[in-house]
Amino acid sequence: MNAASNHQSRFAALQGQKPDAIDTPALVLDAEAVNRNMQRMAEFAAKHQIKLRPHAKLHKSADIARLQMQAGAIGVCVQTVGEGEALAAGGVNDIFISNEIVSPAKLRRVAGLAQLLKNRSGKLAIAVDSDEGIDRLALAMQTTSAAIDVFIEIDVGQGRCGVAPGPAAVALVQRLQGSARLRYAGLHAYHGGAQHLRTVAERRNAIGQAALRVAATRDALAQANLAPAIITGGGTGTFGLEAASGLWNELQPGSFLFMDADYARNERDNAQPAFEQALFVKSQVISVQDGHAVCDAGCKSIALDSGPPLVHALPGQPALIYASGGDEHGILRSATAGGPLPAVGDTVWLIPSHCDPTVNLHDAMIAVQGGLAAGAVSAVVRVDARGA
Amino acid sequence: MNAASNHQSRFAALQGQKPDAIDTPALVLDAEAVNRNMQRMAEFAAKHQIKLRPHAKLHKSADIARLQMQAGAIGVCVQTVGEGEALAAGGVNDIFISNEIVSPAKLRRVAGLAQLLKNRSGKLAIAVDSDEGIDRLALAMQTTSAAIDVFIEIDVGQGRCGVAPGPAAVALVQRLQGSARLRYAGLHAYHGGAQHLRTVAERRNAIGQAALRVAATRDALAQANLAPAIITGGGTGTFGLEAASGLWNELQPGSFLFMDADYARNERDNAQPAFEQALFVKSQVISVQDGHAVCDAGCKSIALDSGPPLVHALPGQPALIYASGGDEHGILRSATAGGPLPAVGDTVWLIPSHCDPTVNLHDAMIAVQGGLAAGAVSAVVRVDARGA
């Protein structure tokens, strides 16, 4: 979080200022907490001798992706070609698009990105889960001299993308062999549905079932002399389980870096490091009426898809509960009947319930060192792939 | 929707192309439907001899705001100073910030915007609901030679911003008189909570109660020789009721222009014109598995705060139901058990459940004339105030 930012914008004058100077609504990072979360994850991966490829769809920032790689990550995941292009433009050279792309126009951009990264001695990877997807990718890659690493995505329980485990996955790997520019890299086995299961027991059960599917697929592939070199997966809710399974050898969690209110509602798994809340939305009270106050952060600056944000009361601030007030408003009530409300002009810090789509609503994240109350702005981190 | 757009971007090459050429996920306008919605609203206002100041927080586009004014609107509403600045930069000269602003930094921008619009013979208005808000606004306006129209916001039932009706509103108007640059313009009386009440009876009851509060405030003001010149309010769900009340003389609906699935769930009030769905998200099927398909539009390209989008099946397309699949995915299932699914690569058109925050996720809206299936791109409309 000390990386020099070349972001020229309305935020530039903030450098070195107190958090008071940050206009609202704004996305604010506790820079030390981000650093600690990053170090804890890197230490976990090192201790478990497992590769770390954190998901950059969280932060969409090339600066942060490069910091993660300096701290030991082998590369990053992205979810779209636009994210990949934005991070590559910011100097990131090892990128896995952990998603299916089938549009010819986008696949031409995938091929161009593979060529760009190859020219820099980096590499691009992508997921596929269908014959059609492989054929379209192979066609697009003919326009370049680069190759692309290809992961077969298998459905390990989420019921979203991913071919069925076992023989169907073997057939897709065999189809890959027809194209010299598609390099079979391994299996993409991510269970999104398990990440927010509330108890450790539920998550252990879900990843246990996912592991059976991964093992069956690995064994079927080995029998066909197609053993996968890499099995990648795991998110912030479950990566300790994937790491302990002996099957996965690459982890791709993202949210641990910032955390959010919804992950904080999970029962802690002591096999995973503890992560701190590092992402906040700074908001301001614009109206105080009988029994409630109104702040200037609504669903256009804080994502509500996983429920309302929590209010992060600094010492001396009243305990408040946030309710949706529309696009540009949050309704704040005292957490205790008849308790104190803030005054017009006061700052209210919010903890997003879902960090990824909240970040995507903003052009920049303001990093603060020394605490939200008394610290100072240390960097303005651009959300390079905002909207991409 | 025929306005020349000077938007230079990755969208520029789309002009004149078929909708097939629009990469996904993308926001697409049915240009003829937008025009018909705009005309119907203008005719309604003309027939009822009521001023129309549509809310631009929907579209955040200067091009569309100017088209609305050419069609008879006296100006537009915005919700933030950033929206006001973006529309002013695009040539809009009569802007009402229908919200409270209390940050000194933002109020300096408000003053600058008032000066800019005055220099162009336009004008700026703003809402206030507290002593503190008035005093801070007055202080900021001292830095300019411009005046600003000020509306006292009263709470007519939503329980969000707005001072209590009656004497408290009179006291705020009296406080305004202390500053030569604050011009008392009238009352801002918007009932956001009434817009999505499902039955006409519920909405009639809510606006009936709002009208009692407006009338009481108007009468108290008249007794103090402070009768309001303008009473502004009304949204897409209720504007027919405000228009019929004899109290409001300015309407500020926004969503009617594009419509969305949530407004479409309202029981129709025959006193209001019928509006057509004009805003769509074009998505693409990236994966088809046993019993479901997956498209590339998730909560980073379509707002889910008012529920999942509807699938808009064109002739020959299967009837589908959308379920959330995360940031970049939607899960599509047949609307009939065992019914047909689309194929990998197929286009799926989605109707957002909430148009305003959906538009805010995109940099541009692609306007199509001649229908979503066989038409052609007629304009690329920039979301000028995206994220502002």
Side-chain angles (χ1 to χ4, degrees):
Chain A
M1 304 305 300
N2 290 307
S5 170
N6 58 1
H7 184 35
Q8 301 300 323
S9 79
R10 63 194 159 105
F11 300 108
L14 280 176
Q15 200 85 18
Q17 300 241 41
K18 295 275 170 209
D20 275 352
I22 303 170
D23 209 1
T24 58
L27 211 50
V28 176
L29 295 176
D30 177 334
E32 285 109 334
V34 172
N35 264 319
R36 285 190 294 267
N37 288 342
M38 184 165 65
Q39 294 302 333
R40 281 172 197 150
M41 190 71 217
E43 284 161 20
F44 176 92
K47 183 176 158 195
H48 290 78
Q49 297 183 289
I50 194 163
K51 282 178 281 191
L52 178 62
R53 182 182 285 282
H55 217 302
K57 80 184 178 73
L58 164 76
H59 53 70
K60 291 178 174 249
S61 153
D63 280 358
I64 293 181
R66 284 188 286 98
L67 286 172
Q68 290 181 300
M69 291 177 71
Q70 286 162 23
I74 58 162
V76 295
C77 296
V78 300
Q79 205 73 326
T80 68
V81 62
E83 287 177 353
E85 289 166 336
L87 297 197
V92 179
N93 287 333
D94 193 326
I95 296 171
F96 171 34
I97 303 171
S98 60
N99 196 10
E100 282 66 27
I101 292 183
V102 302
S103 134
K106 280 205 198 75
L107 286 168
R108 283 193 292 274
R109 291 163 56 195
V110 167
L113 185 57
Q115 184 75 61
L116 175 79
L117 294 179
K118 181 197 171 193
N119 294 348
R120 292 192 203 156
S121 306
K123 68 184 163 67
L124 182 66
I126 193 167
V128 298
D129 74 352
S130 68
D131 289 351
E132 184 72 27
I134 290 171
D135 296 350
R136 290 183 178 204
L137 177 64
L139 188 67
M141 288 301 296
Q142 285 178 9
T143 62
T144 76
S145 69
I148 189 166
D149 281 5
V150 180
F151 288 85
I152 305 299
E153 179 167 7
I154 61 171
D155 179 8
V156 292
Q158 182 172 15
R160 192 171 69 181
C161 296
V163 72
V170 177
L172 288 183
V173 175
Q174 286 164 337
R175 195 175 190 98
L176 282 186
Q177 315 294 316
S179 170
R181 295 209 176 81
L182 308 192
R183 274 188 312 236
Y184 166 48
L187 296 177
H188 173 47
Y190 171 69
H191 193 331
Q195 302 308 313
H196 295 267
L197 294 173
R198 290 295 176 231
T199 68
V200 175
E202 287 172 299
R203 297 198 296 278
R204 190 175 295 133
N205 179 51
I207 300 305
Q209 300 203 356
L212 294 176
R213 293 169 172 221
V214 168
T217 309
R218 179 200 58 179
D219 294 347
L221 285 165
Q223 278 210 314
N225 280 320
L226 293 168
I230 303 171
I231 300 179
T232 182
T236 293
T238 66
F239 68 84
L241 298 164
E242 279 92 346
S245 70
L247 289 165
W248 282 266
N249 54 8
E250 183 178 293
L251 299 178
Q252 48 181 254
S255 298
F256 71 90
L257 193 66
F258 294 168
M259 288 299 286
D260 58 35
D262 203 60
Y263 268 121
R265 283 188 272 267
N266 274 8
E267 180 195 359
R268 267 257 304 132
D269 180 350
N270 291 319
Q272 296 192 175
F275 298 110
E276 300 169 57
Q277 185 60 41
L279 176 77
F280 301 87
V281 170
K282 186 188 173 199
S283 74
Q284 184 180 43
V285 175
I286 59 169
S287 179
V288 179
Q289 303 301 332
D290 188 29
H292 73 275
V294 184
C295 72
D296 61 359
C299 73
K300 284 183 180 167
S301 57
I302 193 159
L304 303 180
D305 59 284
S306 298
L310 300 178
V311 177
H312 178 69
L314 298 182
Q317 291 189 331
L320 299 170
I321 292 172
Y322 178 107
S324 171
D327 294 5
E328 310 282 358
H329 300 93
I331 311 288
L332 303 168
R333 293 194 178 83
S334 173
T336 54
L341 290 172
V344 168
D346 280 1
T347 293
V348 173
W349 295 93
L350 302 172
I351 298 176
S353 56
H354 192 180
C355 45
D356 298 34
T358 297
V359 172
N360 188 50
L361 294 169
H362 295 262
D363 293 320
M365 301 173 271
I366 316 298
V368 167
Q369 287 197 322
L372 299 179
V377 174
S378 59
V380 175
V381 182
R382 199 165 72 134
V383 183
D384 299 296
R386 203 268 333 138
Chain B
M1 303 306 300
N2 290 306
S5 170
N6 59 0
H7 185 35
Q8 300 299 321
S9 80
R10 63 194 158 103
F11 300 106
L14 281 175
Q15 200 85 17
Q17 300 241 40
K18 295 275 170 210
D20 275 353
I22 302 170
D23 209 2
T24 58
L27 211 49
V28 176
L29 294 176
D30 178 334
E32 285 108 335
V34 172
N35 263 319
R36 285 189 293 268
N37 288 342
M38 185 167 65
Q39 294 302 333
R40 282 172 196 149
M41 190 72 218
E43 285 161 19
F44 176 92
K47 184 175 157 197
H48 290 77
Q49 296 183 291
I50 195 163
K51 282 179 281 192
L52 177 63
R53 181 182 286 281
H55 217 300
K57 81 184 178 75
L58 165 76
H59 53 70
K60 291 178 173 253
S61 154
D63 280 358
I64 293 181
R66 284 188 284 98
L67 287 171
Q68 290 181 302
M69 291 177 70
Q70 286 162 22
I74 58 162
V76 294
C77 296
V78 298
Q79 205 72 325
T80 68
V81 61
E83 287 177 354
E85 289 166 337
L87 297 197
V92 179
N93 287 334
D94 193 326
I95 296 171
F96 170 34
I97 303 171
S98 59
N99 196 9
E100 282 66 26
I101 292 182
V102 302
S103 133
K106 280 205 198 76
L107 286 169
R108 282 193 292 274
R109 291 162 57 195
V110 166
L113 186 57
Q115 183 76 60
L116 175 79
L117 293 179
K118 180 197 173 193
N119 294 349
R120 294 193 204 153
S121 307
K123 67 184 164 67
L124 183 66
I126 193 167
V128 298
D129 73 353
S130 68
D131 289 350
E132 185 74 26
I134 290 171
D135 296 349
R136 291 182 179 205
L137 176 64
L139 188 67
M141 288 301 295
Q142 285 178 10
T143 62
T144 76
S145 70
I148 189 166
D149 282 5
V150 180
F151 287 86
I152 306 298
E153 179 167 6
I154 60 171
D155 180 8
V156 291
Q158 181 173 17
R160 192 171 69 180
C161 296
V163 73
V170 177
L172 288 183
V173 175
Q174 285 164 338
R175 195 176 190 97
L176 281 187
Q177 316 293 317
S179 169
R181 295 209 175 80
L182 308 192
R183 275 188 311 236
Y184 166 48
L187 296 177
H188 173 47
Y190 171 68
H191 193 331
Q195 302 308 313
H196 296 268
L197 294 174
R198 288 298 176 231
T199 67
V200 174
E202 288 171 299
R203 297 197 296 278
R204 189 175 296 132
N205 179 51
I207 300 304
Q209 300 203 356
L212 294 176
R213 293 168 172 220
V214 169
T217 308
R218 179 200 58 180
D219 294 348
L221 286 165
Q223 279 209 314
N225 280 322
L226 294 168
I230 303 171
I231 300 179
T232 181
T236 293
T238 65
F239 69 84
L241 297 164
E242 278 92 347
S245 71
L247 288 164
W248 283 266
N249 54 8
E250 183 178 291
L251 300 178
Q252 48 181 254
S255 298
F256 71 90
L257 193 65
F258 293 168
M259 286 300 286
D260 58 36
D262 203 61
Y263 267 121
R265 283 188 272 269
N266 274 7
E267 180 195 359
R268 267 254 309 130
D269 180 350
N270 291 320
Q272 296 191 176
F275 298 110
E276 300 169 58
Q277 186 60 40
L279 176 78
F280 302 87
V281 169
K282 186 187 173 198
S283 74
Q284 183 179 42
V285 174
I286 60 168
S287 179
V288 180
Q289 304 301 332
D290 189 28
H292 73 274
V294 184
C295 72
D296 61 359
C299 73
K300 284 182 181 168
S301 57
I302 192 160
L304 303 180
D305 59 284
S306 298
L310 300 177
V311 177
H312 179 70
L314 299 181
Q317 291 189 333
L320 299 170
I321 292 172
Y322 177 108
S324 170
D327 294 5
E328 311 282 0
H329 300 93
I331 311 287
L332 303 168
R333 293 195 178 82
S334 173
T336 54
L341 289 172
V344 167
D346 281 1
T347 292
V348 173
W349 295 94
L350 302 172
I351 298 176
S353 56
H354 192 179
C355 44
D356 298 33
T358 297
V359 171
N360 187 51
L361 295 169
H362 295 262
D363 293 319
M365 301 173 272
I366 316 298
V368 168
Q369 287 197 323
L372 298 180
V377 174
S378 59
V380 176
V381 183
R382 198 164 73 133
V383 184
D384 299 296
R386 203 265 338 132

